[in-house]
Amino acid sequence: MIRSVVQGCGSYLPERVVTNEELSRTVDTTDEWIRQRSGICQRHIAAEGEFTSHLAIKASQRALDHAGLNASDLDLIVLATATPDQTFPATATRVQAALGMTKGAAFDVQAVCAGFVYGVSVADSLIKSGLASTALVIGAETFSRILDWDDRGTCVLFGDGAGAIVLRGEQGAGTPADRGILANALHSDGRHHDLLYVDGGPSSTRTTGFLRMEGKEVFKHAVVNMATVVGEVLEKAGLEAKDVDWLVPHQANKRIIDGTGRKLGLPPERVVVTVDKHANTSAASIPLALDVAVKDGRIKKGDLLLLEGIGGGLSWGASLVRW
Ligand code: COA
């Protein structure tokens, strides 16, 4: 059977780092409050004129280099983002042109903070169906552009960045020991729209709008849904929590990450945490965390990785990957 096998990964963060301390000079907040409630110490913020596509292009080039592949090898780009350069065309097509990829298809996926897991699932399905053979899956965001910097309950929690992986279809025996994407699970429940959304859009207000969030309610849903979906994806693959080498969660809040790790019975040293340095970069957070742990040598070929994320919609999902 065909498996979508990870060939390489890459990431990119804007140069400018904004610490909690710096933020507290313009927002009514403190370093202590932000650290205690979220685990965040700093975030990267895109420069004026630096767009989501620019971050995505840099992360993608690094992923291709790491994979030892060229843009001409790709026949699919799936870019997960809630902060596209423009309403249309898809930001993925800008990345496609900049990389010099001329065949196949490039499009965006919008599932906010669950976007990367959605993107991986879509690319995996297209590879397995034979519609694509080599895919770039990107998570890239400039959330700083949709934050209400007067709303201290949200603006301290997010940052900008991009991460990418390259997937290629390879024949495998179809066992959990094979490298590649082993299982995916996706969910959404639109009844919870009002918990996390942007109060603008081309069809409703003709403005971009700002992020709005009921933080406490999102927290409760996140803890429950993450615990359920990681169990679901393990069951699909016929594996157990004890088989997982690395939990690579969406980096929204250290307390949510700790809760999921505890439910799985994973020791903290088996959980990749970057929320302290990157804050919540939405669809970019999982591939950013992945890239950090691969490049520092923690994640090795053959390790079993559990990726999971939840965001506005509500939308959530998980992927189990033999790296
Ligand atoms: N600095 C200082 N005080 C702040 C603050 C800030 N940046 N933001 C809010 N507060 C204050 C509130 O005004 C409130 O004050 P009050 O008690 O005087 O009214 C107090 O802190 C508690 O606020 P609350 O919203 O109840 O805090 P919380 O413990 O729920 O923590 C979050 C807030 C947002 C950190 C937390 O709910 C959370 O992480 N939720 C999940 C959010 C998330 O992950 N979203 C993304 C999913 S993809």
Side-chain angles (χ1 to χ4, degrees), residues 27-30 33-34 37-38 113 152-154 156-158 196 213 215-216 218-219 250 252-253 255-256 280 310-312:
V27 178
D28 180 17
T29 189
T30 61
W33 191 95
I34 303 172
R37 306 282 168 135
S38 69
C113 300
R152 66 176 183 171
T154 55
V156 303
L157 301 173
F158 296 88
L196 182 50
M213 180 171 72
K216 252 195 197 358
V218 173
F219 192 99
H250 168 49
N253 184 307
R255 291 185 294 152
I256 299 174
N280 182 347
I310 182 167

PDB file of all heavy atoms in Angstrom, residues 27-30 33-34 37-38 113 152-154 156-158 196 213 215-216 218-219 250 252-253 255-256 280 310-312, ligand 1:
ATOM      1  N   VAL A  27       0.598  47.311  26.464  1.00  0.00           N
ATOM      2  CA  VAL A  27      -0.651  46.606  26.775  1.00  0.00           C
ATOM      3  C   VAL A  27      -0.735  46.474  28.299  1.00  0.00           C
ATOM      4  O   VAL A  27       0.300  46.289  28.962  1.00  0.00           O
ATOM      5  CB  VAL A  27      -0.643  45.191  26.130  1.00  0.00           C
ATOM      6  CG1 VAL A  27      -1.910  44.420  26.478  1.00  0.00           C
ATOM      7  CG2 VAL A  27      -0.470  45.283  24.610  1.00  0.00           C
ATOM      8  N   ASP A  28      -1.969  46.564  28.849  1.00  0.00           N
ATOM      9  CA  ASP A  28      -2.149  46.475  30.301  1.00  0.00           C
ATOM     10  C   ASP A  28      -2.004  45.018  30.744  1.00  0.00           C
ATOM     11  O   ASP A  28      -2.991  44.295  30.933  1.00  0.00           O
ATOM     12  CB  ASP A  28      -3.548  47.024  30.653  1.00  0.00           C
ATOM     13  CG  ASP A  28      -3.807  46.973  32.153  1.00  0.00           C
ATOM     14  OD1 ASP A  28      -2.825  46.823  32.919  1.00  0.00           O
ATOM     15  OD2 ASP A  28      -4.986  47.075  32.544  1.00  0.00           O
ATOM     16  N   THR A  29      -0.761  44.553  30.859  1.00  0.00           N
ATOM     17  CA  THR A  29      -0.494  43.162  31.220  1.00  0.00           C
ATOM     18  C   THR A  29       0.861  43.068  31.922  1.00  0.00           C
ATOM     19  O   THR A  29       1.563  44.083  32.052  1.00  0.00           O
ATOM     20  CB  THR A  29      -0.518  42.266  29.955  1.00  0.00           C
ATOM     21  OG1 THR A  29      -0.473  40.904  30.350  1.00  0.00           O
ATOM     22  CG2 THR A  29       0.665  42.548  29.018  1.00  0.00           C
ATOM     23  N   THR A  30       1.197  41.868  32.362  1.00  0.00           N
ATOM     24  CA  THR A  30       2.515  41.653  32.986  1.00  0.00           C
ATOM     25  C   THR A  30       3.122  40.358  32.456  1.00  0.00           C
ATOM     26  O   THR A  30       2.404  39.451  32.035  1.00  0.00           O
ATOM     27  CB  THR A  30       2.399  41.516  34.515  1.00  0.00           C
ATOM     28  OG1 THR A  30       1.571  40.371  34.787  1.00  0.00           O
ATOM     29  CG2 THR A  30       1.835  42.762  35.172  1.00  0.00           C
ATOM     30  N   TRP A  33       1.700  37.408  34.474  1.00  0.00           N
ATOM     31  CA  TRP A  33       0.354  36.940  34.105  1.00  0.00           C
ATOM     32  C   TRP A  33       0.432  36.063  32.862  1.00  0.00           C
ATOM     33  O   TRP A  33      -0.125  34.974  32.818  1.00  0.00           O
ATOM     34  CB  TRP A  33      -0.591  38.130  33.854  1.00  0.00           C
ATOM     35  CG  TRP A  33      -2.050  37.713  33.726  1.00  0.00           C
ATOM     36  CD1 TRP A  33      -2.979  37.703  34.714  1.00  0.00           C
ATOM     37  CD2 TRP A  33      -2.704  37.197  32.557  1.00  0.00           C
ATOM     38  NE1 TRP A  33      -4.189  37.232  34.239  1.00  0.00           N
ATOM     39  CE2 TRP A  33      -4.045  36.910  32.909  1.00  0.00           C
ATOM     40  CE3 TRP A  33      -2.303  36.942  31.243  1.00  0.00           C
ATOM     41  CZ2 TRP A  33      -4.982  36.396  32.011  1.00  0.00           C
ATOM     42  CZ3 TRP A  33      -3.246  36.426  30.348  1.00  0.00           C
ATOM     43  CH2 TRP A  33      -4.562  36.163  30.734  1.00  0.00           C
ATOM     44  N   ILE A  34       1.145  36.546  31.836  1.00  0.00           N
ATOM     45  CA  ILE A  34       1.202  35.805  30.563  1.00  0.00           C
ATOM     46  C   ILE A  34       1.876  34.445  30.769  1.00  0.00           C
ATOM     47  O   ILE A  34       1.379  33.416  30.315  1.00  0.00           O
ATOM     48  CB  ILE A  34       1.938  36.624  29.471  1.00  0.00           C
ATOM     49  CG1 ILE A  34       1.266  37.984  29.262  1.00  0.00           C
ATOM     50  CG2 ILE A  34       1.968  35.849  28.161  1.00  0.00           C
ATOM     51  CD1 ILE A  34       2.033  38.930  28.347  1.00  0.00           C
ATOM     52  N   ARG A  37      -0.481  32.005  32.928  1.00  0.00           N
ATOM     53  CA  ARG A  37      -1.712  31.530  32.280  1.00  0.00           C
ATOM     54  C   ARG A  37      -1.449  30.744  31.008  1.00  0.00           C
ATOM     55  O   ARG A  37      -2.279  29.962  30.590  1.00  0.00           O
ATOM     56  CB  ARG A  37      -2.634  32.700  31.930  1.00  0.00           C
ATOM     57  CG  ARG A  37      -2.978  33.621  33.046  1.00  0.00           C
ATOM     58  CD  ARG A  37      -4.032  33.020  33.934  1.00  0.00           C
ATOM     59  NE  ARG A  37      -4.140  33.818  35.154  1.00  0.00           N
ATOM     60  CZ  ARG A  37      -5.286  34.194  35.698  1.00  0.00           C
ATOM     61  NH1 ARG A  37      -6.421  33.821  35.174  1.00  0.00           N
ATOM     62  NH2 ARG A  37      -5.283  34.908  36.795  1.00  0.00           N
ATOM     63  N   SER A  38      -0.328  31.027  30.333  1.00  0.00           N
ATOM     64  CA  SER A  38      -0.142  30.435  28.997  1.00  0.00           C
ATOM     65  C   SER A  38       1.207  29.753  28.784  1.00  0.00           C
ATOM     66  O   SER A  38       1.355  28.957  27.866  1.00  0.00           O
ATOM     67  CB  SER A  38      -0.283  31.530  27.929  1.00  0.00           C
ATOM     68  OG  SER A  38       0.810  32.431  28.013  1.00  0.00           O
ATOM     69  N   CYS A 113      -6.224  26.934  13.808  1.00  0.00           N
ATOM     70  CA  CYS A 113      -5.121  26.274  14.537  1.00  0.00           C
ATOM     71  C   CYS A 113      -5.060  24.771  14.279  1.00  0.00           C
ATOM     72  O   CYS A 113      -4.049  24.127  14.582  1.00  0.00           O
ATOM     73  CB  CYS A 113      -5.221  26.557  16.021  1.00  0.00           C
ATOM     74  SG  CYS A 113      -5.145  28.321  16.391  1.00  0.00           S
ATOM     75  N   ARG A 152      -6.327  42.835  25.760  1.00  0.00           N
ATOM     76  CA  ARG A 152      -5.223  42.128  26.423  1.00  0.00           C
ATOM     77  C   ARG A 152      -5.504  40.638  26.607  1.00  0.00           C
ATOM     78  O   ARG A 152      -4.594  39.845  26.808  1.00  0.00           O
ATOM     79  CB  ARG A 152      -4.928  42.763  27.781  1.00  0.00           C
ATOM     80  CG  ARG A 152      -6.059  42.609  28.794  1.00  0.00           C
ATOM     81  CD  ARG A 152      -5.654  43.182  30.126  1.00  0.00           C
ATOM     82  NE  ARG A 152      -6.695  42.972  31.130  1.00  0.00           N
ATOM     83  CZ  ARG A 152      -6.551  43.217  32.410  1.00  0.00           C
ATOM     84  NH1 ARG A 152      -5.408  43.712  32.853  1.00  0.00           N
ATOM     85  NH2 ARG A 152      -7.532  42.999  33.260  1.00  0.00           N
ATOM     86  N   GLY A 153      -6.795  40.252  26.543  1.00  0.00           N
ATOM     87  CA  GLY A 153      -7.150  38.836  26.708  1.00  0.00           C
ATOM     88  C   GLY A 153      -6.745  37.989  25.512  1.00  0.00           C
ATOM     89  O   GLY A 153      -6.698  36.754  25.612  1.00  0.00           O
ATOM     90  N   THR A 154      -6.460  38.614  24.368  1.00  0.00           N
ATOM     91  CA  THR A 154      -6.065  37.822  23.190  1.00  0.00           C
ATOM     92  C   THR A 154      -4.695  38.214  22.623  1.00  0.00           C
ATOM     93  O   THR A 154      -3.920  37.351  22.224  1.00  0.00           O
ATOM     94  CB  THR A 154      -7.101  37.965  22.046  1.00  0.00           C
ATOM     95  OG1 THR A 154      -7.281  39.362  21.751  1.00  0.00           O
ATOM     96  CG2 THR A 154      -8.441  37.350  22.419  1.00  0.00           C
ATOM     97  N   VAL A 156      -1.856  39.046  23.654  1.00  0.00           N
ATOM     98  CA  VAL A 156      -0.600  38.563  24.254  1.00  0.00           C
ATOM     99  C   VAL A 156      -0.304  37.109  23.894  1.00  0.00           C
ATOM    100  O   VAL A 156       0.786  36.613  24.182  1.00  0.00           O
ATOM    101  CB  VAL A 156      -0.633  38.712  25.799  1.00  0.00           C
ATOM    102  CG1 VAL A 156      -0.892  40.158  26.201  1.00  0.00           C
ATOM    103  CG2 VAL A 156      -1.672  37.786  26.430  1.00  0.00           C
ATOM    104  N   LEU A 157      -1.293  36.430  23.293  1.00  0.00           N
ATOM    105  CA  LEU A 157      -1.181  34.971  23.159  1.00  0.00           C
ATOM    106  C   LEU A 157      -0.646  34.479  21.805  1.00  0.00           C
ATOM    107  O   LEU A 157      -0.338  33.301  21.662  1.00  0.00           O
ATOM    108  CB  LEU A 157      -2.564  34.325  23.377  1.00  0.00           C
ATOM    109  CG  LEU A 157      -3.233  34.598  24.725  1.00  0.00           C
ATOM    110  CD1 LEU A 157      -4.649  34.035  24.728  1.00  0.00           C
ATOM    111  CD2 LEU A 157      -2.421  33.993  25.865  1.00  0.00           C
ATOM    112  N   PHE A 158      -0.573  35.359  20.804  1.00  0.00           N
ATOM    113  CA  PHE A 158      -0.293  34.887  19.446  1.00  0.00           C
ATOM    114  C   PHE A 158       1.010  35.446  18.876  1.00  0.00           C
ATOM    115  O   PHE A 158       1.529  36.451  19.352  1.00  0.00           O
ATOM    116  CB  PHE A 158      -1.462  35.239  18.522  1.00  0.00           C
ATOM    117  CG  PHE A 158      -2.749  34.542  18.894  1.00  0.00           C
ATOM    118  CD1 PHE A 158      -3.616  35.116  19.810  1.00  0.00           C
ATOM    119  CD2 PHE A 158      -3.066  33.308  18.354  1.00  0.00           C
ATOM    120  CE1 PHE A 158      -4.801  34.469  20.191  1.00  0.00           C
ATOM    121  CE2 PHE A 158      -4.246  32.651  18.718  1.00  0.00           C
ATOM    122  CZ  PHE A 158      -5.109  33.239  19.631  1.00  0.00           C
ATOM    123  N   LEU A 196     -14.519  31.426  19.179  1.00  0.00           N
ATOM    124  CA  LEU A 196     -13.236  31.835  18.601  1.00  0.00           C
ATOM    125  C   LEU A 196     -13.462  32.140  17.122  1.00  0.00           C
ATOM    126  O   LEU A 196     -13.742  31.229  16.338  1.00  0.00           O
ATOM    127  CB  LEU A 196     -12.227  30.681  18.777  1.00  0.00           C
ATOM    128  CG  LEU A 196     -10.792  30.874  18.302  1.00  0.00           C
ATOM    129  CD1 LEU A 196     -10.177  32.144  18.811  1.00  0.00           C
ATOM    130  CD2 LEU A 196      -9.943  29.673  18.728  1.00  0.00           C
ATOM    131  N   MET A 213     -12.259  35.975  21.195  1.00  0.00           N
ATOM    132  CA  MET A 213     -12.172  34.645  21.834  1.00  0.00           C
ATOM    133  C   MET A 213     -12.763  34.640  23.235  1.00  0.00           C
ATOM    134  O   MET A 213     -12.544  35.564  24.011  1.00  0.00           O
ATOM    135  CB  MET A 213     -10.692  34.222  21.904  1.00  0.00           C
ATOM    136  CG  MET A 213     -10.486  32.856  22.539  1.00  0.00           C
ATOM    137  SD  MET A 213      -8.800  32.260  22.372  1.00  0.00           S
ATOM    138  CE  MET A 213      -7.955  33.324  23.523  1.00  0.00           C
ATOM    139  N   GLY A 215     -11.811  32.790  25.975  1.00  0.00           N
ATOM    140  CA  GLY A 215     -10.659  31.963  26.335  1.00  0.00           C
ATOM    141  C   GLY A 215     -10.970  30.776  27.233  1.00  0.00           C
ATOM    142  O   GLY A 215     -10.528  29.656  26.984  1.00  0.00           O
ATOM    143  N   LYS A 216     -11.749  31.018  28.276  1.00  0.00           N
ATOM    144  CA  LYS A 216     -12.048  29.951  29.252  1.00  0.00           C
ATOM    145  C   LYS A 216     -12.795  28.787  28.595  1.00  0.00           C
ATOM    146  O   LYS A 216     -12.528  27.626  28.854  1.00  0.00           O
ATOM    147  CB  LYS A 216     -12.894  30.532  30.378  1.00  0.00           C
ATOM    148  CG  LYS A 216     -12.133  30.681  31.677  1.00  0.00           C
ATOM    149  CD  LYS A 216     -13.118  30.899  32.802  1.00  0.00           C
ATOM    150  CE  LYS A 216     -12.521  31.461  34.062  1.00  0.00           C
ATOM    151  NZ  LYS A 216     -11.144  31.726  34.209  1.00  0.00           N
ATOM    152  N   VAL A 218     -12.900  28.043  25.327  1.00  0.00           N
ATOM    153  CA  VAL A 218     -12.022  27.348  24.372  1.00  0.00           C
ATOM    154  C   VAL A 218     -11.122  26.374  25.125  1.00  0.00           C
ATOM    155  O   VAL A 218     -10.923  25.234  24.705  1.00  0.00           O
ATOM    156  CB  VAL A 218     -11.159  28.367  23.578  1.00  0.00           C
ATOM    157  CG1 VAL A 218     -10.122  27.658  22.715  1.00  0.00           C
ATOM    158  CG2 VAL A 218     -12.037  29.257  22.704  1.00  0.00           C
ATOM    159  N   PHE A 219     -10.613  26.816  26.255  1.00  0.00           N
ATOM    160  CA  PHE A 219      -9.740  25.980  27.087  1.00  0.00           C
ATOM    161  C   PHE A 219     -10.430  24.653  27.425  1.00  0.00           C
ATOM    162  O   PHE A 219      -9.853  23.579  27.251  1.00  0.00           O
ATOM    163  CB  PHE A 219      -9.396  26.753  28.370  1.00  0.00           C
ATOM    164  CG  PHE A 219      -8.291  26.129  29.162  1.00  0.00           C
ATOM    165  CD1 PHE A 219      -6.998  26.609  29.054  1.00  0.00           C
ATOM    166  CD2 PHE A 219      -8.529  25.061  30.020  1.00  0.00           C
ATOM    167  CE1 PHE A 219      -5.968  26.039  29.789  1.00  0.00           C
ATOM    168  CE2 PHE A 219      -7.515  24.485  30.744  1.00  0.00           C
ATOM    169  CZ  PHE A 219      -6.220  24.968  30.635  1.00  0.00           C
ATOM    170  N   HIS A 250      -0.327  21.231  18.959  1.00  0.00           N
ATOM    171  CA  HIS A 250      -0.518  22.655  18.632  1.00  0.00           C
ATOM    172  C   HIS A 250      -0.111  23.453  19.868  1.00  0.00           C
ATOM    173  O   HIS A 250      -0.465  23.108  20.992  1.00  0.00           O
ATOM    174  CB  HIS A 250      -1.979  22.905  18.280  1.00  0.00           C
ATOM    175  CG  HIS A 250      -2.318  24.362  18.217  1.00  0.00           C
ATOM    176  ND1 HIS A 250      -1.549  25.258  17.507  1.00  0.00           N
ATOM    177  CD2 HIS A 250      -3.318  25.084  18.790  1.00  0.00           C
ATOM    178  CE1 HIS A 250      -2.069  26.466  17.637  1.00  0.00           C
ATOM    179  NE2 HIS A 250      -3.141  26.393  18.416  1.00  0.00           N
ATOM    180  N   ALA A 252      -0.726  26.259  21.830  1.00  0.00           N
ATOM    181  CA  ALA A 252      -1.618  27.371  22.184  1.00  0.00           C
ATOM    182  C   ALA A 252      -1.360  27.811  23.617  1.00  0.00           C
ATOM    183  O   ALA A 252      -1.337  29.002  23.913  1.00  0.00           O
ATOM    184  CB  ALA A 252      -3.065  26.968  22.025  1.00  0.00           C
ATOM    185  N   ASN A 253      -1.183  26.828  24.475  1.00  0.00           N
ATOM    186  CA  ASN A 253      -1.135  27.113  25.901  1.00  0.00           C
ATOM    187  C   ASN A 253      -0.466  25.946  26.600  1.00  0.00           C
ATOM    188  O   ASN A 253      -0.841  24.794  26.394  1.00  0.00           O
ATOM    189  CB  ASN A 253      -2.586  27.277  26.387  1.00  0.00           C
ATOM    190  CG  ASN A 253      -2.662  27.665  27.830  1.00  0.00           C
ATOM    191  OD1 ASN A 253      -2.083  27.008  28.691  1.00  0.00           O
ATOM    192  ND2 ASN A 253      -3.367  28.735  28.104  1.00  0.00           N
ATOM    193  N   ARG A 255      -0.662  24.903  29.547  1.00  0.00           N
ATOM    194  CA  ARG A 255      -1.535  24.120  30.431  1.00  0.00           C
ATOM    195  C   ARG A 255      -2.366  23.108  29.646  1.00  0.00           C
ATOM    196  O   ARG A 255      -2.624  22.008  30.130  1.00  0.00           O
ATOM    197  CB  ARG A 255      -2.444  25.054  31.237  1.00  0.00           C
ATOM    198  CG  ARG A 255      -1.666  25.875  32.272  1.00  0.00           C
ATOM    199  CD  ARG A 255      -2.598  26.689  33.118  1.00  0.00           C
ATOM    200  NE  ARG A 255      -3.276  27.720  32.355  1.00  0.00           N
ATOM    201  CZ  ARG A 255      -4.470  28.215  32.635  1.00  0.00           C
ATOM    202  NH1 ARG A 255      -5.164  27.754  33.649  1.00  0.00           N
ATOM    203  NH2 ARG A 255      -4.999  29.178  31.896  1.00  0.00           N
ATOM    204  N   ILE A 256      -2.776  23.463  28.420  1.00  0.00           N
ATOM    205  CA  ILE A 256      -3.525  22.518  27.580  1.00  0.00           C
ATOM    206  C   ILE A 256      -2.580  21.392  27.150  1.00  0.00           C
ATOM    207  O   ILE A 256      -2.938  20.204  27.179  1.00  0.00           O
ATOM    208  CB  ILE A 256      -4.122  23.216  26.331  1.00  0.00           C
ATOM    209  CG1 ILE A 256      -5.099  24.314  26.742  1.00  0.00           C
ATOM    210  CG2 ILE A 256      -4.800  22.198  25.413  1.00  0.00           C
ATOM    211  CD1 ILE A 256      -5.637  25.151  25.575  1.00  0.00           C
ATOM    212  N   ASN A 280       1.344  31.321  20.242  1.00  0.00           N
ATOM    213  CA  ASN A 280       0.435  30.546  19.394  1.00  0.00           C
ATOM    214  C   ASN A 280       0.525  31.083  17.966  1.00  0.00           C
ATOM    215  O   ASN A 280       0.070  32.187  17.686  1.00  0.00           O
ATOM    216  CB  ASN A 280      -0.995  30.673  19.940  1.00  0.00           C
ATOM    217  CG  ASN A 280      -1.996  29.857  19.145  1.00  0.00           C
ATOM    218  OD1 ASN A 280      -1.695  29.375  18.055  1.00  0.00           O
ATOM    219  ND2 ASN A 280      -3.194  29.702  19.678  1.00  0.00           N
ATOM    220  N   ILE A 310      -6.322  22.103  17.808  1.00  0.00           N
ATOM    221  CA  ILE A 310      -7.718  22.561  17.823  1.00  0.00           C
ATOM    222  C   ILE A 310      -7.736  24.073  17.630  1.00  0.00           C
ATOM    223  O   ILE A 310      -6.810  24.762  18.053  1.00  0.00           O
ATOM    224  CB  ILE A 310      -8.436  22.175  19.148  1.00  0.00           C
ATOM    225  CG1 ILE A 310      -9.907  22.631  19.116  1.00  0.00           C
ATOM    226  CG2 ILE A 310      -7.710  22.727  20.380  1.00  0.00           C
ATOM    227  CD1 ILE A 310     -10.758  22.025  20.221  1.00  0.00           C
ATOM    228  N   GLY A 311      -8.777  24.552  16.954  1.00  0.00           N
ATOM    229  CA  GLY A 311      -8.878  25.996  16.754  1.00  0.00           C
ATOM    230  C   GLY A 311     -10.294  26.416  16.429  1.00  0.00           C
ATOM    231  O   GLY A 311     -11.248  25.642  16.596  1.00  0.00           O
ATOM    232  N   GLY A 312     -10.435  27.643  15.944  1.00  0.00           N
ATOM    233  CA  GLY A 312     -11.744  28.208  15.642  1.00  0.00           C
ATOM    234  C   GLY A 312     -12.565  27.291  14.747  1.00  0.00           C
ATOM    235  O   GLY A 312     -12.047  26.575  13.904  1.00  0.00           O
TER     236      GLY A 312
HETATM  237  N1  COA B   1      -2.856  40.473  31.448  1.00  0.00           N
HETATM  238  C1  COA B   1      -3.345  40.653  32.690  1.00  0.00           C
HETATM  239  N2  COA B   1      -4.584  40.324  33.042  1.00  0.00           N
HETATM  240  C2  COA B   1      -5.372  39.797  32.087  1.00  0.00           C
HETATM  241  C3  COA B   1      -4.944  39.592  30.771  1.00  0.00           C
HETATM  242  C4  COA B   1      -3.623  39.974  30.465  1.00  0.00           C
HETATM  243  N3  COA B   1      -3.093  39.816  29.235  1.00  0.00           N
HETATM  244  N4  COA B   1      -5.944  39.063  30.049  1.00  0.00           N
HETATM  245  C5  COA B   1      -6.977  38.912  30.877  1.00  0.00           C
HETATM  246  N5  COA B   1      -6.651  39.356  32.122  1.00  0.00           N
HETATM  247  C6  COA B   1      -7.457  39.388  33.344  1.00  0.00           C
HETATM  248  C7  COA B   1      -8.938  39.377  33.054  1.00  0.00           C
HETATM  249  O1  COA B   1      -9.403  40.683  32.804  1.00  0.00           O
HETATM  250  C8  COA B   1      -9.476  38.807  34.330  1.00  0.00           C
HETATM  251  O2  COA B   1      -9.514  39.806  35.295  1.00  0.00           O
HETATM  252  P1  COA B   1     -10.749  39.915  36.331  1.00  0.00           P
HETATM  253  O3  COA B   1     -10.727  38.618  37.090  1.00  0.00           O
HETATM  254  O4  COA B   1     -10.412  41.116  37.101  1.00  0.00           O
HETATM  255  O5  COA B   1     -11.973  40.047  35.454  1.00  0.00           O
HETATM  256  C9  COA B   1      -8.410  37.802  34.771  1.00  0.00           C
HETATM  257  O6  COA B   1      -7.232  38.186  34.053  1.00  0.00           O
HETATM  258  C10 COA B   1      -8.774  36.367  34.450  1.00  0.00           C
HETATM  259  O7  COA B   1      -9.146  36.291  33.089  1.00  0.00           O
HETATM  260  P2  COA B   1      -9.610  34.938  32.435  1.00  0.00           P
HETATM  261  O8  COA B   1      -9.922  35.163  31.000  1.00  0.00           O
HETATM  262  O9  COA B   1     -10.679  34.319  33.323  1.00  0.00           O
HETATM  263  O10 COA B   1      -8.261  34.092  32.596  1.00  0.00           O
HETATM  264  P3  COA B   1      -7.988  32.569  32.316  1.00  0.00           P
HETATM  265  O11 COA B   1      -7.439  31.953  33.528  1.00  0.00           O
HETATM  266  O12 COA B   1      -9.143  31.889  31.675  1.00  0.00           O
HETATM  267  O13 COA B   1      -6.828  32.657  31.267  1.00  0.00           O
HETATM  268  C11 COA B   1      -6.486  32.415  28.889  1.00  0.00           C
HETATM  269  C12 COA B   1      -7.058  33.278  30.033  1.00  0.00           C
HETATM  270  C13 COA B   1      -6.886  33.083  27.589  1.00  0.00           C
HETATM  271  C14 COA B   1      -4.974  32.392  29.031  1.00  0.00           C
HETATM  272  C15 COA B   1      -7.050  31.004  29.008  1.00  0.00           C
HETATM  273  O14 COA B   1      -8.443  31.025  29.121  1.00  0.00           O
HETATM  274  C16 COA B   1      -6.675  30.174  27.822  1.00  0.00           C
HETATM  275  O15 COA B   1      -5.531  29.888  27.596  1.00  0.00           O
HETATM  276  N6  COA B   1      -7.669  29.740  27.032  1.00  0.00           N
HETATM  277  C17 COA B   1      -7.409  28.987  25.842  1.00  0.00           C
HETATM  278  C18 COA B   1      -7.085  29.945  24.752  1.00  0.00           C
HETATM  279  C19 COA B   1      -6.480  29.265  23.584  1.00  0.00           C
HETATM  280  O16 COA B   1      -5.638  28.434  23.710  1.00  0.00           O
HETATM  281  N7  COA B   1      -6.930  29.682  22.422  1.00  0.00           N
HETATM  282  C20 COA B   1      -6.409  29.276  21.193  1.00  0.00           C
HETATM  283  C21 COA B   1      -6.925  27.960  20.822  1.00  0.00           C
HETATM  284  S1  COA B   1      -6.329  27.628  19.253  1.00  0.00           S
END
